[in-house]
Amino acid sequence: MDMWVWWTIAGVAFAVGEMAIMGFFLAPFAGGAFVAALFSLAGAGAIPSILAFIVITALLFLVVRPIARRHIHQPSETRTGTAALIGRSGMVLERIANDEGVGVVKIDGEVWTARAYDDDEIIEAGKRVQVIQIKGATALVSE
């Protein structure tokens, strides 16, 4: 089998691994492998392909990875959508009891279906809660 095929297989494997872990760790390796595949496909030998892999992987680690990590770990003020609600406080409008499947909370003027983050916790109406997580259209909250 030609070397470009092996580089492509390696690139796909790194890309699939990146999708599984989502930490932007394997993506630079995938980028390096795909560039090495292009070098190999263009007729470059093994040494130039390996050097291309090393250089591109290093550049992606040094330049792109810090940018991606900043976007992953955004402060709550710059988050949007449901991610912006995590850590916010809300008011329980309807008693929250997971075993009964009831609960409504008002967060930033919006009414959300709510469940207690701890399954055994029951939160009465009128209590202040903090949003721990959003699952679909349901806010998981805790006192």
Side-chain angles (χ1 to χ4, degrees):
M1 217 182 301
D2 291 333
M3 279 303 294
W4 71 269
V5 175
W6 289 110
W7 283 115
T8 303
I9 291 170
V12 169
F14 284 130
V16 168
E18 177 60 39
M19 287 186 272
I21 64 170
M22 305 255 315
F24 206 77
F25 177 74
L26 295 176
F29 291 105
F34 288 131
V35 170
L38 290 175
F39 268 64
S40 185
L41 186 61
I47 300 296
S49 296
I50 292 170
L51 288 175
F53 172 76
I54 292 169
V55 168
I56 296 300
T57 300
L59 283 174
L60 288 174
F61 262 114
L62 294 173
V63 176
V64 179
R65 189 166 192 259
I67 295 168
R69 290 184 58 80
R70 268 195 308 265
H71 285 283
I72 290 171
H73 301 293
Q74 285 182 335
S76 60
E77 304 86 47
T78 59
R79 290 188 200 144
T80 59
T82 58
L85 297 175
I86 296 172
R88 299 271 175 108
S89 63
M91 179 67 70
V92 177
L93 300 178
E94 181 184 307
R95 181 174 164 262
I96 299 173
N98 291 9
D99 58 339
E100 297 172 24
V102 296
V104 176
V105 67
K106 190 172 198 174
I107 308 163
D108 288 345
E110 295 180 350
V111 178
W112 284 78
T113 302
R115 297 293 176 263
Y117 188 71
D118 179 12
D119 280 334
D120 299 329
E121 187 177 16
I122 295 176
I123 307 170
E124 296 299 327
K127 298 272 187 168
R128 290 227 61 45
V129 292
Q130 186 171 10
V131 178
I132 307 296
Q133 185 178 3
I134 301 289
K135 279 194 174 180
T138 303
L140 299 178
V141 299
S142 182
E143 279 190 273

